[in-house]
Amino acid sequence: MSNGAPEARLEPVVTDPVRDRGLPPSPNGASSFHIWWEIPDVPLASVSAILEVLTPPAVSRLAFFAIQASFWSHARQEGGAHTGIQWNPRHPRNLAVNWGGYDRVGEILPGTESPLPSAPGDPNTRDFAWVPAARYRLTIGPRSPGAENTGRWPARIEGLETGEDVVVRHLLCDSDHLRAPVVWSELFTRCDDPTIEVRWSEPTALGLDGEPVRVDRGRVTYQAYDAGGCTNTTVEVDRVGILQRSGSERRTAHDSVVEWRK
């Protein structure tokens, strides 16, 4: 299942050249890193994972922690979308949740109106008073049943300690299943800003038949130096799940495979 990718290494990983100071010079101003789920390439009805923001940003700049999947019809990819927690200066106390995406030609997907308010009036990003270190299960799908709801995809956020259970809204994409799940951190902070750390755990995927699809491994990727990425981001496995951390010595190499804890 790992397609021959190297296993994660515990020793420091040398990155040359180094970018560990200043703002990321990427086109969107962010440095991102990802954990791509290594699962069978089968049509999925839903995907979910638990997110904990263990150390939130200490500066007033955007940071986004999300689960993403691609929308597919029988013949082709129709788009993709991501849902997750944001540290966003445009929202009260910087706290927000997002559910948005793009169609196959890169246009922003339309969606239904969210039950959550949004201080800046952003249809994709809503005010949501998440709590640092609390566990939130983020879920994409399943598609709403009924012919009249074809292509209506919900995103849900559940506070496992705090008690929220909210469908953020539905995105509209003419598709019938999901593929290619991934979780990621996208940081618009400086490379030398204080450390940000999140944990991902308990990834789940359901096939169109409602049966679970095993999620045992994830492949780690980092935004390349040439693409504007910081080189002091890292991914590590702990006793609960998989950590993503900024402002830290890199200990897991690009394209390594890490194991999800059970």
Side-chain angles (χ1 to χ4, degrees):
M1 192 177 295
S2 66
N3 298 321
E7 291 295 325
R9 303 185 308 192
L10 295 179
E11 69 271 16
V13 175
V14 176
T15 56
D16 184 23
V18 170
R19 179 179 292 113
D20 58 7
R21 303 188 67 82
L23 289 171
S26 58
N28 71 343
S31 177
S32 302
F33 46 128
H34 318 80
I35 306 163
W36 300 87
W37 299 10
E38 294 226 323
I39 60 175
D41 186 22
V42 298
L44 302 174
S46 67
V47 295
S48 73
I50 293 175
L51 169 65
E52 301 164 80
V53 182
L54 300 175
T55 307
V59 296
S60 189
R61 287 187 174 274
L62 176 63
F64 190 5
F65 318 105
I67 182 172
Q68 175 180 305
S70 298
F71 294 130
W72 280 75
S73 64
H74 175 71
R76 65 185 182 188
Q77 184 175 348
E78 302 291 352
H82 40 255
T83 190
I85 283 173
Q86 289 189 349
W87 179 265
N88 190 325
R90 300 172 67 220
H91 292 262
R93 296 188 293 130
N94 296 325
L95 306 177
V97 65
N98 175 282
W99 174 222
Y102 301 89
D103 66 16
R104 60 186 176 87
V105 297
E107 297 293 330
I108 294 175
L109 288 170
T112 61
E113 185 173 352
S114 174
L116 298 170
S118 177
D122 185 332
N124 297 324
T125 309
R126 315 303 293 183
D127 307 338
F128 185 79
W130 55 269
V131 176
R135 296 182 305 148
Y136 293 92
R137 179 167 286 282
L138 304 171
T139 304
I140 298 174
R143 185 179 56 163
S144 298
E148 71 280 6
N149 289 323
T150 298
R152 286 171 55 99
W153 289 95
R156 180 180 178 188
I157 183 166
E158 301 170 78
L160 301 184
E161 285 91 24
T162 57
E164 299 95 340
D165 187 352
V166 180
V167 173
V168 181
R169 65 173 184 150
H170 291 74
L171 287 184
L172 308 179
C173 185
D174 188 12
S175 55
D176 55 30
H177 68 274
L178 305 172
R179 290 183 185 267
V182 54
V183 293
W184 45 255
S185 294
E186 183 179 46
L187 308 179
F188 293 78
T189 52
R190 294 172 58 93
C191 299
D192 53 329
D193 276 335
T195 293
I196 300 165
E197 184 176 64
V198 303
R199 178 192 286 131
W200 296 97
S201 61
E202 297 187 28
T204 64
L206 293 179
L208 291 182
D209 58 2
E211 291 298 314
V213 177
R214 287 180 62 90
V215 189
D216 292 327
R217 296 181 175 186
R219 182 171 55 86
V220 175
T221 61
Y222 304 95
Q223 188 162 332
Y225 177 91
D226 290 346
C230 301
T231 59
N232 60 344
T233 53
T234 193
V235 172
E236 295 182 21
V237 176
D238 73 358
R239 61 184 179 81
V240 176
I242 300 177
L243 303 171
Q244 292 186 307
R245 185 188 308 119
S246 69
S248 181
E249 192 172 58
R250 184 165 293 174
R251 293 185 176 274
T252 299
H254 178 80
D255 213 32
S256 293
V257 171
V258 291
E259 300 282 345
W260 291 100
R261 297 296 188 193
K262 299 299 183 184

